[in-house]
Amino acid sequence: MIMEVWYSEWKALFNPLSVRERRCGRAMATSNFSATSSTLAVGFSHCSSISRFIDFNYRHRNSKQLLIRTPSLRKVKRSFAVKNVAGEGAPLKLSSFTPDAASIASSIKYHAEFTPLFSPERFELPKAFFATAQSVRDALIINWNATYDYYEKMNVKQAYYLSMEFLQGRALLNAIGNLELTDAYGEALNKLGHNLENVSCQEPDAALGNGGLGRLASCFLDSLATLSYPAWGYGLRYKYGLFKQRITKDGQEEVAENWLEMGSPWEIVRNDVSYPVKFYGKVVKGSDGKSHWIGGEDIKAVAYDVPIPGYKTKTTINLRLWSTTAPSEDFDLNAFNAGDHAKGCEAQVNAEKICYILYPGDESEEGKTLRLKQQYTLCSASLQDIIACFERRSGEHVKWEEFPEKVAVQMNDTHPTLCIPELMRILLDLKGMSWKEAWDITKRTMAYTNHTVLPEALEKWSLELMEKLLPRHVEIIEMIDEELINAIISEYGISDPELLEKKLNTMRILENVDFPASVSDLFVKPEKSPAVDLSEEEHSNEEHVSSNEDEPEEEDMQEEEVEDLEPILEPPEMVRMANLCVVGGHTVNGVAEIHSEIVKEEVFNEFYKLWPGKFQNKTNGVTPRRWIRFCNPDLSNIITKWIGTEDWVLHTEKLAELVKFSDNEDLQLEWRAAKRRNKMKVVSFLKEKTGYSVSPDAMFDIQVKRIHEYKRQLLNILGIVYRYKKMKEMSASERKAKFVPRVCIFGGKAFATYVQAKRIVKFITDVGVTVNHDPEIADLLKVVFVPDYNVSVAELLIPASELSQHISTAGMEASGTSNMKFAMNGCILIGTLDGANVEIRQEVGDENFFLFGAQAHEIAGLRKERAEGKFVPDPRFIEVKEFVRSGVFGSSSYDELMGSLEGNEGFGQADYFLVGKDFPSYIECQEKVDEAYKDQRRWTRMSIMNMACSYKFSSDRTIHEYARDIWNIEPLKLP
């Protein structure tokens, strides 16, 4: 009966139809209870708002200021209680309810009827999913509002996590799992003629990310909510995601994602929370001496909020996604009616395309501009929102010096770097602060996570482009650069100008830009050679030749002189975003122990010498809720049974209690049975998605990650090709005795313009076609590329995995997080000493990890050896390349792919990622894998040890460290 009241209140609160029906005296449901409540807004208390002037100017409105919506200081009080009409006692708070299957079924039926997105005739799976999700969202909103009411009341310091990616995956099972309602929702849906698994499969993955960067951000949000830390996430709402991957005979093809085609039941648009974002224009000085950024192109960023529930807690935090649009008045009605539809819609299209796709191609100037617009939109809208919250919570007396005591901004990689000059701009130009005050606040607020050591991934932007798009920010960046130069000179002095210039050229934010006038006299510069106008020179030579036809030797001399007079190409002026992050933040962290050492010793070594206290390590982690408890329920039940508690879901250190049972025969039998059930699911999935039939008795060998040369999917597939060649050279009995049956599974997306990565995808699929149709090999070897790999596919593959490949060139993978997920699910890793592999091997034990390959400190020497022509390839490597070129895998040419592994120097050659160097070590290690797998007792023990010793890699541990060491925030549990 209590739940009938809850259902009744849901109708009254979340659907206007029910309110109108009630006012007309028509009850929506029969109940022995009546419910009373004050108004409960669907959203946070700060949604009521007032208008406030911000110094922005729209195009065509030179004398007007833009009105934006900012939250009101007025507090909205609310209560929610139900009362028994029969007088059975005091009002009951909703938070004390535990929904049962009957009340949940009623809620689902209600949403199917009164918040419809489908025709009313049938209750089919898509409709069932949306109604179920809306039912769950109702419960989340109650906790969501309570969380932020409490944060508003307590006014504690809050962390804000800014990321271009949040790879959430499906939300339904995660949400009801965190709410501890999985069984109740399963039973409710059974009553309605559906099962939970089929309904949950209707949900598309939210296309808000691509790889580990976005998945890490999502794990962090889960841990922040579960541990009750006050925090928000900020990102962009990409309409078409990165892309949906299709695999054809030609390899990878890309089509737009359609995850928002039917809308998302989880997001709530906040039409009253929007902010202006400006591009282009110019900077003028006002009579007050302040800088004013005027003119240009103005768009509007609108907030879409997604609730993130914690596990076994009422805390529900927020992921705020920005969508972009243009004001209606910017629609050019005259042009449209005149037939110039493109011009009429130009402002809307320019605004909306900012949030069309993740990482638009940037080989064109338009692509670069769009990417920079995306980054600035995320930074500007988020900071305006954060500042509005700070001002609201501060009340009438805003103390800006306390801003860093209330706000911690974490920049996830370099994409949100523009937060630094944007916060400076707001504090200087809009809040009237001095440079010293604004710079101190900014440095104490911002922190930066580095995710890469690849030079091409340390973002640089054209200064010319940035100056055109964000003129005021370039002015501020130039001043920060000068501030840095002065700090370096102050530290090292000017006694050695050559050393000083070398340091400045390495550390400056502005690359290939002249030194500011204040320090330029310190360095003596050689005079630049005069530019040569080749057309004039050629013209004068032509005249000379025509008048001296009888002097051929002089003609030859003049031609040689012209050839020597080459124009001098000036290197482009760039803004180094990573350097700006280091200078403008109080902390820089790497994401694995080995990575953090490389960051200090190589990537930012000069900065580390200057500011050693800025640098930290925060080894990545993954949430054990999604990546064990919910995606692998069979194994979770076994863990709980053997250690006697489910507390391990929150306290992963309890997993270590499995170590003492690792040789127990009963546990091993249960363990293998659970693994086989998970493998059977993958067998069905692969048949459905690829058409290939595979045996569940074979070892499942999996490499799933973004396709990149440094991740070395090419090494994996060449190892498979070598294995296949050796099989073909043997009799049936020999190959059966020698090789363990394997299903080799690949998954991952190659960036649309990354040609070499797409060649690798094509090669893998071609090998699969040949091997999988070879009757001599049969089930002894299968090669399957899973199309459109995403979080939901990972949740299926990882629990079924037995061997997982993490084989990047040592020193090139920052951390990796899929390696943690695999280990947590009892999968044994084969890998190099790279990223988090180093720490995983330390935790699980050398004997439970298959190690091969060169180590990070050897890589530079090996590349030098290659460049000097001293590298001698292993005969087996030569053999496998010749086999590929023999045509056994079809008519496609693999010359470019194999050519990248040959030669000693040159772009796209010389085997930069050391595939050839590590190949012999790799195939020898794979032989050890086969031997271990033949002994199933040994293999199962290794599997148990990987699970039991992986507890360090929970994102809960990582978030506790960020909170303590970087953000200085404390958990805030709801009363």
Side-chain angles (χ1 to χ4, degrees):
M1 293 176 69
I2 286 176
M3 289 317 304
E4 289 175 358
V5 179
W6 191 20
Y7 156 57
S8 178
E9 282 290 37
W10 274 354
K11 291 188 301 180
L13 291 168
F14 300 123
N15 194 282
L17 287 176
S18 64
V19 176
R20 289 196 294 271
E21 290 282 355
R22 190 170 58 180
R23 284 174 180 165
C24 294
R26 294 189 294 272
M28 297 297 294
T30 304
S31 173
N32 293 327
F33 291 75
S34 70
T36 61
S37 77
S38 61
T39 301
L40 178 61
V42 181
F44 307 139
S45 62
H46 65 254
C47 285
S48 68
S49 62
I50 57 174
S51 295
R52 191 153 142 217
F53 288 103
I54 293 287
D55 186 14
F56 272 95
N57 293 286
Y58 272 107
R59 286 179 295 117
H60 314 308
R61 296 187 209 105
N62 294 331
S63 62
K64 295 182 180 179
Q65 290 179 306
L66 174 64
L67 278 169
I68 71 161
R69 308 288 291 180
T70 59
S72 168
L73 298 176
R74 180 172 60 89
K75 301 283 186 179
V76 179
K77 295 182 179 179
R78 72 169 68 88
S79 62
F80 194 118
V82 293
K83 185 171 65 176
N84 187 337
V85 170
E88 293 182 3
L92 297 173
K93 290 188 176 180
L94 256 181
S95 58
S96 66
F97 290 176
T98 302
D100 59 14
S103 60
I104 288 171
S106 295
S107 173
I108 294 170
K109 286 164 64 179
Y110 164 73
H111 279 292
E113 184 173 358
F114 292 106
T115 51
L117 294 169
F118 300 88
S119 299
E121 293 84 9
R122 294 180 298 276
F123 188 63
E124 295 179 336
L125 279 171
K127 185 174 183 178
F129 161 67
F130 271 86
T132 302
Q134 287 159 340
S135 165
V136 176
R137 192 184 74 173
D138 288 349
L140 295 182
I141 284 174
I142 295 167
N143 289 341
W144 203 11
N145 288 333
T147 300
Y148 282 93
D149 273 352
Y150 196 55
Y151 288 179
E152 291 282 312
K153 175 183 175 183
M154 301 306 292
N155 191 19
V156 295
K157 185 174 185 180
Q158 186 165 323
Y160 299 92
Y161 198 83
L162 271 68
S163 178
M164 287 295 284
E165 296 186 39
F166 286 93
L167 199 56
Q168 293 287 94
R170 291 170 175 161
L172 179 60
L173 292 181
N174 192 73
I176 62 176
N178 280 356
L179 291 169
E180 301 180 87
L181 295 175
T182 303
D183 291 342
Y185 267 89
E187 186 180 343
L189 285 166
N190 286 338
K191 291 176 181 289
L192 299 173
H194 290 293
N195 71 66
L196 179 58
E197 184 176 352
N198 290 342
V199 168
S200 67
C201 287
Q202 298 300 304
E203 180 177 6
D205 277 37
L208 299 171
N210 176 36
L213 186 79
R215 190 50 243 163
L216 178 76
S218 295
C219 284
F220 279 4
L221 292 185
D222 178 89
S223 287
L224 284 164
T226 296
L227 302 174
S228 296
Y229 280 110
W232 272 25
Y234 280 106
L236 295 181
R237 181 179 179 266
Y238 304 106
K239 185 175 182 180
Y240 301 115
L242 182 72
F243 58 80
K244 186 183 288 290
Q245 182 192 55
R246 290 178 179 166
I247 300 298
T248 71
K249 62 180 178 61
D250 298 316
Q252 171 182 294
E253 291 184 359
E254 306 89 21
V255 296
E257 280 275 10
N258 60 353
W259 75 287
L260 285 175
E261 208 162 71
M262 291 193 293
S264 168
W266 305 109
E267 62 183 20
I268 296 176
V269 59
R270 306 291 188 187
N271 289 309
D272 57 336
V273 182
S274 64
Y275 298 96
V277 179
K278 179 183 288 296
F279 306 109
Y280 305 109
K282 62 182 179 179
V283 180
V284 298
K285 290 287 185 182
S287 58
D288 55 1
K290 292 182 182 178
S291 294
H292 298 270
W293 183 16
I294 64 171
E297 171 188 311
D298 297 285
I299 66 161
K300 185 169 66 171
V302 180
Y304 283 72
D305 287 349
V306 180
I308 308 294
Y311 178 72
K312 291 190 175 182
T313 175
K314 290 183 287 184
T315 300
T316 302
I317 66 172
N318 190 42
L319 170 58
R320 177 157 284 178
L321 303 171
W322 299 108
S323 186
T324 46
T325 185
S328 298
E329 54 265 36
D330 281 359
F331 181 81
D332 193 335
L333 194 59
N334 291 331
F336 194 86
N337 284 333
D340 193 346
H341 299 157
K343 183 181 178 183
C345 301
E346 184 178 12
Q348 276 68 23
V349 170
N350 284 339
E352 290 172 8
K353 72 181 180 183
I354 291 171
C355 290
Y356 273 175
I357 68 169
L358 170 66
Y359 303 140
D362 61 354
E363 296 195 349
S364 66
E365 193 68 14
E366 293 79 6
K368 290 182 176 69
T369 301
L370 188 57
R371 278 212 190 187
L372 193 54
K373 280 185 171 184
Q374 287 185 331
Q375 295 186 6
Y376 180 60
T377 298
L378 170 64
C379 296
S380 180
S382 302
L383 280 173
Q384 290 183 69
D385 199 42
I386 291 166
I387 287 170
C389 178
F390 170 73
E391 291 181 318
R392 183 182 65 253
R393 292 181 181 178
S394 298
E396 295 180 1
H397 305 289
V398 179
K399 297 180 180 179
W400 284 103
E401 66 274 13
E402 294 180 357
F403 188 77
E405 274 71 59
K406 297 294 183 182
V407 171
V409 174
Q410 189 69 37
M411 299 178 290
N412 191 30
D413 215 346
T414 53
H415 307 124
T417 305
L418 289 169
C419 281
I420 294 167
E422 175 67 357
L423 181 56
M424 288 294 292
R425 182 192 69 81
I426 293 171
L427 297 178
L428 291 169
D429 299 351
L430 304 182
K431 305 303 176 184
M433 292 188 192
S434 68
W435 176 270
K436 183 179 179 181
E437 291 170 327
W439 186 228
D440 177 67
I441 289 170
T442 298
K443 288 192 296 180
R444 292 193 294 129
T445 301
M446 300 293 169
Y448 161 54
T449 299
N450 173 273
H451 283 279
T452 185
V453 300
L454 298 177
E456 66 269 23
L458 292 170
E459 283 190 301
K460 296 179 184 180
W461 285 104
S462 160
L463 180 62
E464 181 183 9
L465 170 61
M466 191 176 286
E467 214 162 14
K468 183 167 63 174
L469 193 68
L470 302 169
R472 178 58 177 144
H473 296 76
V474 168
E475 290 183 351
I476 292 169
I477 290 170
E478 288 172 342
M479 289 188 280
I480 296 172
D481 186 59
E482 189 167 354
E483 186 99 9
L484 171 63
I485 290 170
N486 292 331
I488 295 169
I489 292 173
S490 175
E491 178 70 20
Y492 296 107
I494 59 174
S495 59
D496 188 342
E498 188 176 336
L499 176 64
L500 179 61
E501 186 171 15
K502 184 179 178 182
K503 284 185 179 290
L504 290 173
N505 287 335
T506 300
M507 300 173 72
R508 285 189 66 189
I509 297 162
L510 299 177
E511 184 179 46
N512 304 321
V513 176
D514 290 340
F515 290 109
S518 60
V519 298
S520 59
D521 293 342
L522 295 174
F523 310 105
V524 179
K525 296 183 178 179
E527 291 185 10
K528 294 181 179 179
S529 302
V532 177
D533 189 332
L534 290 181
S535 62
E536 279 188 23
E537 195 69 36
E538 288 169 0
H539 181 65
S540 67
N541 286 331
E542 286 169 7
E543 290 178 349
H544 183 80
V545 168
S546 63
S547 61
N548 296 279
E549 291 179 356
D550 57 337
E551 300 179 16
E553 291 182 5
E554 182 71 10
E555 176 185 340
D556 292 342
M557 182 185 72
Q558 291 292 334
E559 287 178 355
E560 286 174 12
E561 287 179 3
V562 171
E563 288 173 4
D564 290 339
L565 293 172
E566 292 291 335
I568 297 172
L569 296 177
E570 294 287 343
E573 296 180 332
M574 307 295 286
V575 181
R576 297 190 279 209
M577 306 302 270
N579 289 21
L580 179 54
C581 284
V582 176
V583 175
H586 59 82
T587 303
V588 178
N589 74 278
V591 291
E593 288 177 2
I594 185 175
H595 169 240
S596 295
E597 288 305 307
I598 293 171
V599 164
K600 291 190 294 186
E601 299 303 322
E602 297 178 25
V603 182
F604 298 125
N605 182 245
E606 292 295 344
F607 287 108
Y608 176 63
K609 292 175 183 174
L610 183 62
W611 298 311
K614 272 194 179 190
F615 290 82
Q616 298 184 14
N617 175 60
K618 295 287 172 278
T619 298
N620 283 344
V622 299
T623 168
R625 271 73 63 184
R626 183 180 286 270
W627 292 111
I628 310 177
R629 180 65 187 88
F630 302 146
C631 79
N632 201 343
D634 280 357
L635 197 61
S636 297
N637 293 336
I638 291 171
I639 295 167
T640 299
K641 171 187 171 182
W642 281 85
I643 68 176
T645 177
E646 202 179 42
D647 287 352
W648 60 268
V649 182
L650 287 170
H651 305 283
T652 51
E653 64 274 9
K654 291 183 181 292
L655 291 173
E657 295 180 27
L658 284 172
V659 171
K660 62 178 179 261
F661 303 117
S662 59
D663 288 310
N664 185 287
E665 188 172 343
D666 291 336
L667 173 59
Q668 288 204 359
L669 286 171
E670 292 178 26
W671 201 268
R672 287 194 290 270
K675 183 68 72 174
R676 184 178 175 82
R677 286 192 293 273
N678 289 329
K679 290 171 73 175
M680 290 301 299
K681 294 177 185 177
V682 172
V683 169
S684 300
F685 171 78
L686 294 180
K687 180 66 175 176
E688 177 189 347
K689 294 297 182 183
T690 71
Y692 289 132
S693 298
V694 302
S695 169
D697 297 321
M699 178 202 299
F700 278 22
D701 171 354
I702 299 178
Q703 187 181 20
V704 283
K705 51 185 76 238
R706 184 165 48 93
I707 309 296
H708 197 292
E709 288 169 278
Y710 89 84
K711 293 179 183 288
R712 299 204 295 191
Q713 286 92 351
L714 184 56
L715 175 61
N716 185 353
I717 192 62
L718 286 175
I720 292 167
V721 168
Y722 183 79
R723 187 182 187 90
Y724 176 64
K725 183 177 185 295
K726 292 302 160 186
M727 286 180 175
K728 294 292 286 182
E729 293 169 355
M730 296 178 180
S731 67
S733 58
E734 287 174 331
R735 67 175 74 106
K736 186 175 181 181
K738 172 75 172 174
F739 295 104
V740 166
R742 287 205 199 192
V743 177
C744 300
I745 300 172
F746 292 83
K749 296 179 180 180
F751 190 66
T753 57
Y754 190 174
V755 175
Q756 190 74 338
K758 295 177 80 168
R759 287 177 182 144
I760 292 170
V761 173
K762 173 76 166 72
F763 181 43
I764 293 169
T765 57
D766 286 351
V767 171
V769 169
T770 298
V771 172
N772 299 344
H773 292 93
D774 189 328
E776 288 185 356
I777 301 303
D779 284 338
L780 204 55
L781 182 63
K782 296 291 185 185
V783 181
V784 183
F785 192 100
V786 179
D788 204 37
Y789 177 71
N790 57 22
V791 175
S792 296
V793 175
E795 289 172 347
L796 194 64
L797 294 180
I798 290 173
S801 62
E802 293 172 288
L803 180 74
S804 181
Q805 307 219 20
H806 303 272
I807 56 178
S808 52
T809 311
M812 301 198 76
E813 183 75 83
S815 169
T817 51
S818 66
N819 45 7
M820 302 171 183
K821 297 164 196 167
F822 280 101
M824 280 183 166
N825 281 272
C827 179
I828 295 100
L829 309 188
I830 180 172
T832 52
L833 282 178
D834 195 27
N837 284 2
V838 177
E839 292 162 76
I840 291 173
R841 183 169 176 263
Q842 288 171 352
E843 296 298 320
V844 306
D846 298 358
E847 70 279 10
N848 300 311
F849 185 104
F850 293 105
L851 177 67
F852 76 95
Q855 297 187 29
H857 67 274
E858 301 173 304
I859 301 301
L862 291 169
R863 286 179 178 146
K864 182 181 178 184
E865 178 186 274
R866 181 69 179 244
E868 294 170 350
K870 296 177 181 177
F871 171 69
V872 179
D874 188 274
R876 292 166 290 184
F877 187 57
I878 297 172
E879 180 185 353
V880 78
K881 288 190 295 177
E882 290 175 351
F883 188 59
V884 170
R885 283 181 163 134
S886 71
V888 68
F889 300 115
S891 59
S892 297
S893 170
Y894 305 111
D895 287 342
E896 295 93 345
L897 204 54
M898 296 300 105
S900 71
L901 307 175
E902 297 168 344
N904 295 324
E905 58 183 358
F907 180 75
Q909 291 185 307
D911 194 10
Y912 184 78
F913 301 99
L914 303 181
V915 172
K917 174 63 182 177
D918 281 350
F919 184 77
S921 173
Y922 176 68
I923 59 175
E924 288 161 12
C925 191
Q926 287 285 14
E927 291 173 1
K928 296 175 183 177
V929 171
D930 276 13
E931 288 304 310
Y933 194 77
K934 289 174 183 177
D935 182 350
Q936 279 294 291
R937 283 184 60 85
R938 176 190 170 194
W939 188 272
T940 306
R941 185 184 189 280
M942 293 173 71
S943 174
I944 294 169
M945 291 298 291
N946 267 267
M947 156 70 82
C949 299
S950 63
Y951 59 85
K952 169 185 174 179
F953 303 104
S954 166
S955 52
D956 295 352
R957 185 265 313 154
T958 315
I959 285 300
H960 277 312
E961 291 177 3
Y962 272 95
R964 180 191 67 220
D965 302 335
I966 299 178
W967 303 332
N968 192 28
I969 62 174
E970 298 288 340
L972 185 63
K973 294 186 181 296
L974 272 65

